[in-house]
mmCIF file of all heavy atoms in Angstrom:
data_model
loop_
_atom_site.group_PDB
_atom_site.id
_atom_site.type_symbol
_atom_site.label_atom_id
_atom_site.label_comp_id
_atom_site.label_asym_id
_atom_site.label_seq_id
_atom_site.Cartn_x
_atom_site.Cartn_y
_atom_site.Cartn_z
ATOM 1 N N THR T 23 -9.911 -57.581 -117.070
ATOM 2 C CA THR T 23 -9.075 -56.475 -117.788
ATOM 3 C C THR T 23 -9.997 -55.391 -118.049
ATOM 4 O O THR T 23 -11.295 -55.502 -118.003
ATOM 5 C CB THR T 23 -8.591 -57.115 -119.133
ATOM 6 O OG1 THR T 23 -9.681 -57.386 -119.922
ATOM 7 C CG2 THR T 23 -7.687 -58.286 -118.928
ATOM 8 N N VAL T 24 -9.431 -54.198 -118.343
ATOM 9 C CA VAL T 24 -10.246 -53.079 -118.663
ATOM 10 C C VAL T 24 -11.212 -53.299 -119.847
ATOM 11 O O VAL T 24 -12.363 -53.013 -119.785
ATOM 12 C CB VAL T 24 -9.331 -51.891 -119.026
ATOM 13 C CG1 VAL T 24 -10.158 -50.741 -119.629
ATOM 14 C CG2 VAL T 24 -8.630 -51.332 -117.688
ATOM 15 N N TRP T 25 -10.707 -54.063 -120.879
ATOM 16 C CA TRP T 25 -11.553 -54.342 -121.998
ATOM 17 C C TRP T 25 -12.718 -55.254 -121.656
ATOM 18 O O TRP T 25 -13.845 -55.011 -122.155
ATOM 19 C CB TRP T 25 -10.621 -54.945 -123.119
ATOM 20 C CG TRP T 25 -11.403 -55.255 -124.370
ATOM 21 C CD1 TRP T 25 -11.824 -56.379 -124.875
ATOM 22 C CD2 TRP T 25 -11.991 -54.202 -125.262
ATOM 23 N NE1 TRP T 25 -12.555 -56.280 -125.996
ATOM 24 C CE2 TRP T 25 -12.661 -54.921 -126.291
ATOM 25 C CE3 TRP T 25 -11.953 -52.843 -125.302
ATOM 26 C CZ2 TRP T 25 -13.372 -54.256 -127.318
ATOM 27 C CZ3 TRP T 25 -12.581 -52.126 -126.314
ATOM 28 C CH2 TRP T 25 -13.249 -52.895 -127.323
ATOM 29 N N HIS T 26 -12.411 -56.297 -120.913
ATOM 30 C CA HIS T 26 -13.507 -57.253 -120.587
ATOM 31 C C HIS T 26 -14.557 -56.593 -119.601
ATOM 32 O O HIS T 26 -15.735 -56.849 -119.710
ATOM 33 C CB HIS T 26 -12.943 -58.587 -120.031
ATOM 34 C CG HIS T 26 -12.290 -59.346 -121.038
ATOM 35 N ND1 HIS T 26 -10.923 -59.621 -120.988
ATOM 36 C CD2 HIS T 26 -12.737 -59.951 -122.182
ATOM 37 C CE1 HIS T 26 -10.595 -60.376 -122.011
ATOM 38 N NE2 HIS T 26 -11.655 -60.631 -122.750
ATOM 39 N N ALA T 27 -14.027 -55.820 -118.740
ATOM 40 C CA ALA T 27 -15.015 -55.044 -117.906
ATOM 41 C C ALA T 27 -15.848 -54.156 -118.686
ATOM 42 O O ALA T 27 -17.106 -54.003 -118.462
ATOM 43 C CB ALA T 27 -14.225 -54.192 -116.811
ATOM 44 N N ALA T 28 -15.269 -53.420 -119.686
ATOM 45 C CA ALA T 28 -15.975 -52.561 -120.603
ATOM 46 C C ALA T 28 -17.107 -53.353 -121.332
ATOM 47 O O ALA T 28 -18.178 -52.930 -121.585
ATOM 48 C CB ALA T 28 -15.077 -51.853 -121.617
ATOM 49 N N LEU T 29 -16.689 -54.582 -121.851
ATOM 50 C CA LEU T 29 -17.724 -55.378 -122.647
ATOM 51 C C LEU T 29 -18.881 -55.728 -121.803
ATOM 52 O O LEU T 29 -20.076 -55.653 -122.297
ATOM 53 C CB LEU T 29 -16.982 -56.683 -123.134
ATOM 54 C CG LEU T 29 -16.043 -56.461 -124.257
ATOM 55 C CD1 LEU T 29 -15.461 -57.890 -124.631
ATOM 56 C CD2 LEU T 29 -16.784 -55.864 -125.472
ATOM 57 N N LEU T 30 -18.755 -56.095 -120.477
ATOM 58 C CA LEU T 30 -19.868 -56.374 -119.670
ATOM 59 C C LEU T 30 -20.749 -55.172 -119.489
ATOM 60 O O LEU T 30 -22.014 -55.283 -119.584
ATOM 61 C CB LEU T 30 -19.377 -56.823 -118.324
ATOM 62 C CG LEU T 30 -18.803 -58.264 -118.217
ATOM 63 C CD1 LEU T 30 -18.357 -58.526 -116.740
ATOM 64 C CD2 LEU T 30 -19.843 -59.324 -118.576
ATOM 65 N N ILE T 31 -20.167 -54.016 -119.269
ATOM 66 C CA ILE T 31 -20.954 -52.781 -119.123
ATOM 67 C C ILE T 31 -21.644 -52.486 -120.433
ATOM 68 O O ILE T 31 -22.897 -52.125 -120.391
ATOM 69 C CB ILE T 31 -20.049 -51.695 -118.681
ATOM 70 C CG1 ILE T 31 -19.504 -51.900 -117.241
ATOM 71 C CG2 ILE T 31 -20.800 -50.324 -118.753
ATOM 72 C CD1 ILE T 31 -18.493 -50.943 -116.812
ATOM 73 N N LEU T 32 -21.050 -52.588 -121.526
ATOM 74 C CA LEU T 32 -21.647 -52.259 -122.825
ATOM 75 C C LEU T 32 -22.845 -53.173 -123.226
ATOM 76 O O LEU T 32 -23.780 -52.695 -123.815
ATOM 77 C CB LEU T 32 -20.612 -52.227 -123.953
ATOM 78 C CG LEU T 32 -19.512 -51.100 -123.721
ATOM 79 C CD1 LEU T 32 -18.406 -51.321 -124.743
ATOM 80 C CD2 LEU T 32 -20.119 -49.758 -123.896
ATOM 81 N N VAL T 33 -22.572 -54.483 -122.970
ATOM 82 C CA VAL T 33 -23.719 -55.418 -123.348
ATOM 83 C C VAL T 33 -24.909 -55.119 -122.408
ATOM 84 O O VAL T 33 -26.077 -55.105 -122.959
ATOM 85 C CB VAL T 33 -23.261 -56.903 -123.063
ATOM 86 C CG1 VAL T 33 -24.434 -57.873 -123.160
ATOM 87 C CG2 VAL T 33 -22.113 -57.261 -124.055
ATOM 88 N N LEU T 34 -24.713 -54.859 -121.111
ATOM 89 C CA LEU T 34 -25.811 -54.421 -120.218
ATOM 90 C C LEU T 34 -26.469 -53.203 -120.748
ATOM 91 O O LEU T 34 -27.746 -53.106 -120.797
ATOM 92 C CB LEU T 34 -25.321 -54.359 -118.810
ATOM 93 C CG LEU T 34 -26.341 -53.995 -117.790
ATOM 94 C CD1 LEU T 34 -27.476 -54.974 -117.718
ATOM 95 C CD2 LEU T 34 -25.715 -53.768 -116.404
ATOM 96 N N ALA T 35 -25.698 -52.175 -121.102
ATOM 97 C CA ALA T 35 -26.217 -50.911 -121.509
ATOM 98 C C ALA T 35 -27.081 -51.137 -122.876
ATOM 99 O O ALA T 35 -28.115 -50.556 -123.021
ATOM 100 C CB ALA T 35 -25.107 -49.899 -121.726
ATOM 101 N N HIS T 36 -26.578 -51.985 -123.703
ATOM 102 C CA HIS T 36 -27.239 -52.251 -125.038
ATOM 103 C C HIS T 36 -28.630 -52.872 -124.745
ATOM 104 O O HIS T 36 -29.608 -52.449 -125.335
ATOM 105 C CB HIS T 36 -26.380 -53.135 -125.869
ATOM 106 C CG HIS T 36 -26.850 -53.249 -127.307
ATOM 107 N ND1 HIS T 36 -26.824 -52.152 -128.167
ATOM 108 C CD2 HIS T 36 -27.253 -54.274 -127.971
ATOM 109 C CE1 HIS T 36 -27.268 -52.496 -129.313
ATOM 110 N NE2 HIS T 36 -27.646 -53.786 -129.252
ATOM 111 N N VAL T 37 -28.649 -53.808 -123.880
ATOM 112 C CA VAL T 37 -29.978 -54.466 -123.578
ATOM 113 C C VAL T 37 -30.915 -53.504 -122.916
ATOM 114 O O VAL T 37 -32.083 -53.479 -123.190
ATOM 115 C CB VAL T 37 -29.750 -55.737 -122.687
ATOM 116 C CG1 VAL T 37 -31.054 -56.299 -122.145
ATOM 117 C CG2 VAL T 37 -28.921 -56.792 -123.420
ATOM 118 N N LEU T 38 -30.347 -52.635 -122.046
ATOM 119 C CA LEU T 38 -31.198 -51.665 -121.377
ATOM 120 C C LEU T 38 -31.735 -50.658 -122.317
ATOM 121 O O LEU T 38 -32.866 -50.096 -122.075
ATOM 122 C CB LEU T 38 -30.454 -51.048 -120.176
ATOM 123 C CG LEU T 38 -30.133 -51.905 -118.943
ATOM 124 C CD1 LEU T 38 -29.251 -51.127 -117.985
ATOM 125 C CD2 LEU T 38 -31.442 -52.283 -118.375
ATOM 126 N N VAL T 39 -30.988 -50.407 -123.421
ATOM 127 C CA VAL T 39 -31.564 -49.496 -124.472
ATOM 128 C C VAL T 39 -32.827 -50.119 -125.091
ATOM 129 O O VAL T 39 -33.819 -49.409 -125.221
ATOM 130 C CB VAL T 39 -30.475 -49.166 -125.528
ATOM 131 C CG1 VAL T 39 -31.111 -48.596 -126.753
ATOM 132 C CG2 VAL T 39 -29.487 -48.284 -124.986
ATOM 133 N N VAL T 40 -32.721 -51.327 -125.433
ATOM 134 C CA VAL T 40 -33.905 -52.078 -125.983
ATOM 135 C C VAL T 40 -35.121 -52.044 -125.022
ATOM 136 O O VAL T 40 -36.290 -51.679 -125.384
ATOM 137 C CB VAL T 40 -33.513 -53.512 -126.437
ATOM 138 C CG1 VAL T 40 -34.754 -54.261 -126.930
ATOM 139 C CG2 VAL T 40 -32.425 -53.525 -127.418
ATOM 140 N N LEU T 41 -34.856 -52.390 -123.843
ATOM 141 C CA LEU T 41 -35.925 -52.434 -122.842
ATOM 142 C C LEU T 41 -36.422 -51.053 -122.529
ATOM 143 O O LEU T 41 -37.581 -50.835 -122.282
ATOM 144 C CB LEU T 41 -35.465 -53.116 -121.614
ATOM 145 C CG LEU T 41 -35.000 -54.602 -121.729
ATOM 146 C CD1 LEU T 41 -34.624 -55.151 -120.392
ATOM 147 C CD2 LEU T 41 -36.113 -55.472 -122.302
ATOM 148 N N GLY T 42 -35.543 -50.095 -122.538
ATOM 149 C CA GLY T 42 -35.913 -48.682 -122.188
ATOM 150 C C GLY T 42 -36.895 -48.149 -123.192
ATOM 151 O O GLY T 42 -37.797 -47.407 -122.922
ATOM 152 N N VAL T 43 -36.563 -48.386 -124.552
ATOM 153 C CA VAL T 43 -37.413 -47.836 -125.590
ATOM 154 C C VAL T 43 -38.810 -48.542 -125.477
ATOM 155 O O VAL T 43 -39.861 -47.842 -125.642
ATOM 156 C CB VAL T 43 -36.858 -48.161 -126.980
ATOM 157 C CG1 VAL T 43 -37.775 -47.733 -128.163
ATOM 158 C CG2 VAL T 43 -35.494 -47.432 -127.130
ATOM 159 N N ALA T 44 -38.900 -49.778 -125.206
ATOM 160 C CA ALA T 44 -40.180 -50.472 -125.036
ATOM 161 C C ALA T 44 -40.897 -49.897 -123.853
ATOM 162 O O ALA T 44 -42.138 -49.634 -123.946
ATOM 163 C CB ALA T 44 -39.940 -52.025 -124.827
ATOM 164 N N MET T 45 -40.182 -49.605 -122.760
ATOM 165 C CA MET T 45 -40.894 -49.075 -121.561
ATOM 166 C C MET T 45 -41.342 -47.660 -121.863
ATOM 167 O O MET T 45 -42.410 -47.264 -121.396
ATOM 168 C CB MET T 45 -39.947 -49.046 -120.383
ATOM 169 C CG MET T 45 -40.493 -48.540 -119.180
ATOM 170 S SD MET T 45 -41.784 -49.500 -118.383
ATOM 171 C CE MET T 45 -40.904 -50.981 -117.843
ATOM 172 N N LEU T 46 -40.616 -46.884 -122.615
ATOM 173 C CA LEU T 46 -40.903 -45.512 -122.920
ATOM 174 C C LEU T 46 -42.252 -45.418 -123.742
ATOM 175 O O LEU T 46 -43.161 -44.721 -123.447
ATOM 176 C CB LEU T 46 -39.841 -44.787 -123.674
ATOM 177 C CG LEU T 46 -39.981 -43.340 -124.080
ATOM 178 C CD1 LEU T 46 -40.133 -42.460 -122.872
ATOM 179 C CD2 LEU T 46 -38.878 -42.853 -124.942
ATOM 180 N N ALA T 47 -42.258 -46.289 -124.774
ATOM 181 C CA ALA T 47 -43.514 -46.362 -125.583
ATOM 182 C C ALA T 47 -44.683 -46.924 -124.738
ATOM 183 O O ALA T 47 -45.880 -46.470 -124.893
ATOM 184 C CB ALA T 47 -43.323 -47.199 -126.831
ATOM 185 N N GLY T 48 -44.317 -47.816 -123.809
ATOM 186 C CA GLY T 48 -45.393 -48.410 -122.896
ATOM 187 C C GLY T 48 -46.056 -47.347 -121.974
ATOM 188 O O GLY T 48 -47.136 -47.525 -121.496
ATOM 189 N N GLN T 49 -45.258 -46.278 -121.714
ATOM 190 C CA GLN T 49 -45.857 -45.198 -120.896
ATOM 191 C C GLN T 49 -47.017 -44.502 -121.567
ATOM 192 O O GLN T 49 -47.835 -43.856 -120.966
ATOM 193 C CB GLN T 49 -44.784 -44.197 -120.568
ATOM 194 C CG GLN T 49 -43.610 -44.785 -119.724
ATOM 195 C CD GLN T 49 -43.968 -45.068 -118.360
ATOM 196 O OE1 GLN T 49 -44.491 -44.226 -117.610
ATOM 197 N NE2 GLN T 49 -43.849 -46.326 -118.055
ATOM 198 N N LEU T 50 -47.021 -44.563 -122.890
ATOM 199 C CA LEU T 50 -48.035 -43.804 -123.722
ATOM 200 C C LEU T 50 -49.169 -44.696 -124.183
ATOM 201 O O LEU T 50 -50.267 -44.232 -124.286
ATOM 202 C CB LEU T 50 -47.344 -43.111 -124.887
ATOM 203 C CG LEU T 50 -46.163 -42.248 -124.524
ATOM 204 C CD1 LEU T 50 -45.564 -41.658 -125.836
ATOM 205 C CD2 LEU T 50 -46.578 -41.126 -123.669
#
């Protein structure tokens, strides 16, 4: 369904935010 497809994308995006911030600080 549209809702469950959205949930999969949002969970992945949320995890990538956490990892992205760690990677951004790791660049410095």
